Amino acid sequence: MTAGLRVLPLGGLGEIGKNLTVVEYEDRIVVVDVGLRFPTADMVGIDLVLPDFAYLRERADDIEAIVVTHGHEDHLGALPWVLRELGEHSVPAVYGGALTMAMARSKLDEHRLTATPLERLEAGHTVQLGPFELELVHMTHSIPDSVAVALTCELGTVVVTGDYKFDQTPVDGKPADVSRLAQLGARDVLLLCGDSTNADRPGFSPSESVVGPRLEEVFSRCLGRIVVTSFASNIHRVQQVVDAAASLGRKVSLVGRSMRKNVNIGRQFGHIDVPEGLLIPPREIEDLPDHKLVVISTGSQGEPLSALRRMAHRDHPAVELRDGDTVVFSATPIPGNERAVNETIDRLYHIGCDVVTTADAPVHASGHGYVEELKLMLNLLRPRYVLPIHGDHKRIRLHSQLGESVGMRPEHIFRGENGLPLEIDGAGARFAAREQSGMIYVDGVDIGDVADVALRDRRMLSADGIFVVVATVSEQDGRSVAPPEVIFRGVPAQEAPDGELVDEIRATVEASLRRAAGEEIREIDLLQEILHDDLAGFVYERLRRRPMVLPVVVEV
Ligand SMILES: [Zn+2]
Ligand SMILES: [Zn+2]
């Protein structure tokens, strides 16, 4: 049994995403956040990246609870996988705010995981979890219901900030609970694990509520239709778009599944207020005059099958963009998504749209505090030790320097890494022996090989050969009109497809095309993307190899 407190980050340090921090006392564990991250371009064929939680699997019996700070994917997204891998019953409960738990519920339902209780905990209330008392502290961020987590044990309090900014004029009028943070600081904060995302930006972050008036300015100059794209979870941003549209006499239509879902959840919990009669369903968009419409759409990150990407490919069933329309990017690309976003923007220009991004007008505000806000957090909590989290190495280092700048002793500031536990007891704090950490790749719904094995395979595409699949579809309705042709080259002889496998590949292609036709996906590039993903998954399942899969769709 380890004496004292142990804090082990399994994700979020030295990277952007997949935040997961393990807090242990007397061998009992509370996990704060279980996030995922999205693959970078070199992770060929990977859908999602999870933290390696082998450590939790070994310690499954010691877990008291998982606490989730807010509903973003990089904090909540790995929950279904963690519960599935650890066994739903090994996690007694998951805690978080009401909206966060509603989002968790909808995620777990999709994965048919219903056994683990999701407990709403209001900020300011406490619950006992083994040797810890858990309290959530209300914070401001780019999604409502964001909290910092305070875990108090005999040794003192650990605060994990979650993502935060100190927005003095948040859209919902509920600023961060600064007085509670100060009270905790006056007691005894042993350790602060703080968000480092904007540790490189001087000053204070602009308030979310400055975005609304800027959007209205931009809107007022538009003569055609307006499409605004943002994160579906940024409910307050959606509210501001709705307000700006309403004040200029434009109707609003929500496009994209996650946009409609999040706005619905947001309305249920009173985080968004839409005037009666303002919303129109997507199928009525074409009936409205151009100057009477604002579309709020998913796709701000250039995601392949998102509504905006389909509009940019002139392949959206409800919105056909044209010359004179304006598309506003009310978001900045997450590192790694720049290429997809730029490609989408260029296609929009090709169609004749005007494009407004944060480079042209302040139509976005970050949800993460800047340098002065990180210092404010340090000064409010006055922690004995600091372990900056949620940032690449550069930002972790900058955050550490901020600790020194507000007068903390350098030896009390720990620049951590994923897998490196910080142990604290009466004698002090120090890093202990490294634990297993890393990445797990998810391919479709299957958890793939750990670490670089899968990637190494993929980089050796040449070794696994190539499949070319030619599908012929009808121009009218996108349905398959001839048996798909399957050609393969360079696939190792012993694994080369026999007649039976070729038939199965054909069946997979037919199934994908049927599904795409059902979703009214027509654009050739998108069809090919869908075929690629489905076939790559199927071939891997059958051959345990990853040949390059090259679908070609021909319209007749
Ligand atoms: Zn966040
Ligand atoms: Zn985050």
Side-chain angles (χ1 to χ4, degrees):
M1 178 157 144
T2 343
L5 182 85
R6 234 167 99 88
V7 176
L8 168 63
L10 289 177
L13 274 76
E15 64 178 342
I16 313 282
K18 73 177 178 61
N19 299 286
L20 194 162
T21 307
V22 180
V23 184
E24 280 178 59
Y25 186 68
E26 287 177 343
D27 284 346
R28 301 302 293 168
I29 288 178
V30 172
V31 179
V32 182
D33 287 331
V34 278
L36 55 73
R37 90 182 232 204
F38 294 100
T40 49
D42 57 328
M43 298 178 186
V44 187
I46 298 283
D47 297 317
L48 301 171
V49 181
L50 310 177
D52 181 348
F53 42 85
Y55 181 81
L56 289 179
R57 199 177 295 125
E58 267 164 45
R59 300 285 308 275
D61 291 344
D62 302 327
I63 298 174
E64 293 282 349
I66 293 174
V67 186
V68 182
T69 56
H70 63 287
H72 281 157
E73 293 288 338
D74 62 323
H75 297 258
L76 171 67
L79 184 64
W81 314 97
V82 169
L83 291 182
R84 209 164 77 179
E85 289 294 298
L86 297 184
E88 284 189 83
H89 294 284
S90 62
V91 178
V94 179
Y95 290 88
L99 179 70
T100 313
M101 289 301 96
M103 294 176 81
R105 177 80 282 150
S106 106
K107 205 170 261 307
L108 293 184
D109 284 349
E110 279 173 24
H111 288 253
R112 290 177 206 193
L113 293 164
T114 52
T116 311
L118 302 182
E119 305 285 354
R120 296 178 190 185
L121 185 62
E122 264 180 65
H125 292 227
T126 61
V127 63
Q128 196 69 32
L129 302 171
F132 295 104
E133 187 189 71
L134 165 69
E135 179 182 344
L136 306 181
V137 182
H138 175 71
M139 301 300 294
T140 44
H141 182 44
S142 47
I143 183 170
D145 219 3
S146 294
V147 296
V149 169
L151 285 164
T152 302
C153 64
E154 277 170 355
L155 266 186
T157 300
V158 178
V159 176
V160 182
T161 63
D163 295 353
Y164 73 94
K165 69 195 279 188
F166 286 110
D167 191 338
Q168 303 304 312
T169 53
V171 173
D172 63 1
K174 292 181 192 143
D177 193 349
V178 177
S179 65
R180 185 61 192 144
L181 292 171
Q183 280 170 0
L184 290 171
R187 225 163 61 184
D188 183 17
V189 176
L190 192 59
L191 176 69
L192 166 63
C193 302
D195 175 10
S196 311
T197 304
N198 282 335
D200 59 335
R201 295 205 196 179
F204 289 92
S205 64
S207 168
E208 174 64 28
S209 56
V210 306
V211 175
R214 298 290 92 76
L215 284 171
E216 205 178 314
E217 268 173 40
V218 170
F219 288 6
S220 68
R221 290 196 298 266
C222 297
L223 302 174
R225 298 178 304 173
I226 299 168
V227 176
V228 182
T229 183
S230 185
F231 283 106
S233 61
N234 198 337
I235 309 274
H236 291 150
R237 185 69 48 82
V238 175
Q239 178 76 66
Q240 300 201 88
V241 176
V242 163
D243 293 347
S247 80
L248 293 169
R250 286 179 182 249
K251 300 271 189 201
V252 171
S253 192
L254 303 171
V255 172
R257 196 174 69 98
S258 60
M259 187 60 76
R260 288 199 298 274
K261 187 172 105 179
N262 277 293
V263 170
N264 271 336
I265 297 179
R267 283 175 105 175
Q268 259 169 38
F269 287 91
H271 291 297
I272 182 164
D273 182 24
V274 183
E276 196 71 40
L278 189 84
L279 280 187
I280 61 154
R283 64 173 184 281
E284 287 174 24
I285 283 175
E286 294 297 330
D287 304 338
L288 274 182
D290 290 357
H291 65 286
K292 287 290 178 196
L293 178 72
V294 174
V295 172
I296 309 180
S297 167
T298 53
S300 69
Q301 301 300 308
E303 303 93 319
L305 298 180
S306 62
L308 184 66
R309 183 87 178 266
R310 291 183 66 183
M311 291 178 212
H313 280 81
R314 293 175 176 278
D315 186 51
H316 195 278
V319 190
E320 196 184 313
L321 289 179
R322 48 184 175 251
D323 210 352
D325 290 343
T326 303
V327 179
V328 181
F329 279 76
S330 189
T332 47
I334 293 174
N337 294 345
E338 293 90 346
R339 235 177 72 182
V341 172
N342 287 338
E343 199 216 65
T344 305
I345 289 176
D346 211 51
R347 280 184 176 261
L348 292 169
Y349 277 121
H350 183 60
I351 293 174
C353 299
D354 283 324
V355 177
V356 178
T357 69
T358 51
D360 311 303
V363 289
H364 174 68
S366 173
H368 302 265
Y370 291 7
V371 162
E372 296 305 319
E373 291 156 89
L374 304 195
K375 287 189 203 164
L376 178 57
M377 180 63 88
L378 286 158
N379 283 331
L380 285 167
L381 290 175
R382 294 187 297 171
R384 198 162 338 145
Y385 303 107
V386 170
L387 176 71
I389 58 170
H390 206 292
D392 54 15
H393 293 300
K394 172 185 168 189
R395 287 167 182 84
I396 299 279
R397 189 182 167 88
L398 289 169
H399 197 175
S400 302
Q401 289 165 353
L402 295 179
E404 287 185 50
S405 78
V406 301
M408 289 192 65
R409 289 161 57 180
E411 64 272 26
H412 284 190
I413 301 168
F414 290 85
R415 276 199 279 133
E417 288 168 33
N418 292 338
L420 204 55
L422 180 68
E423 289 187 358
I424 306 177
D425 55 26
R430 69 211 72 83
F431 284 124
R434 190 176 286 279
E435 301 287 352
Q436 181 172 333
S437 70
M439 302 191 211
I440 297 177
Y441 298 114
V442 180
D443 195 350
V445 291
D446 288 323
I447 286 193
D449 314 331
V450 173
D452 1 62
V453 182
L455 275 190
R456 211 185 311 130
D457 286 356
R458 281 154 208 226
R459 291 192 192 107
M460 289 160 61
L461 281 172
S462 54
D464 287 355
I466 179 168
F467 273 85
V468 181
V469 175
V470 184
T472 313
V473 300
S474 138
E475 205 178 8
Q476 273 89 44
D477 59 5
R479 291 190 188 274
S480 171
V481 291
E485 253 179 273
V486 181
I487 306 154
F488 53 91
R489 289 285 181 274
V491 178
Q494 69 276 19
E495 274 133 332
D498 51 20
E500 196 179 314
L501 187 63
V502 169
D503 286 344
E504 286 177 63
I505 290 172
R506 287 202 181 113
T508 307
V509 172
E510 301 273 13
S512 303
L513 290 174
R514 271 197 301 280
R515 183 163 60 86
E519 290 174 26
E520 293 187 51
I521 294 170
R522 292 290 158 70
E523 218 281 335
I524 299 285
D525 285 0
L526 298 178
L527 280 176
Q528 291 181 167
E529 268 179 69
I530 293 174
L531 285 180
H532 172 271
D533 290 355
D534 291 355
L535 280 171
F538 173 76
V539 170
Y540 180 69
E541 195 144 278
R542 288 301 306 272
L543 301 182
R544 293 288 138 187
R545 283 197 174 265
R546 300 194 181 279
M548 180 181 282
V549 174
L550 199 64
V552 180
V553 176
V554 183
E555 272 185 339
V556 290

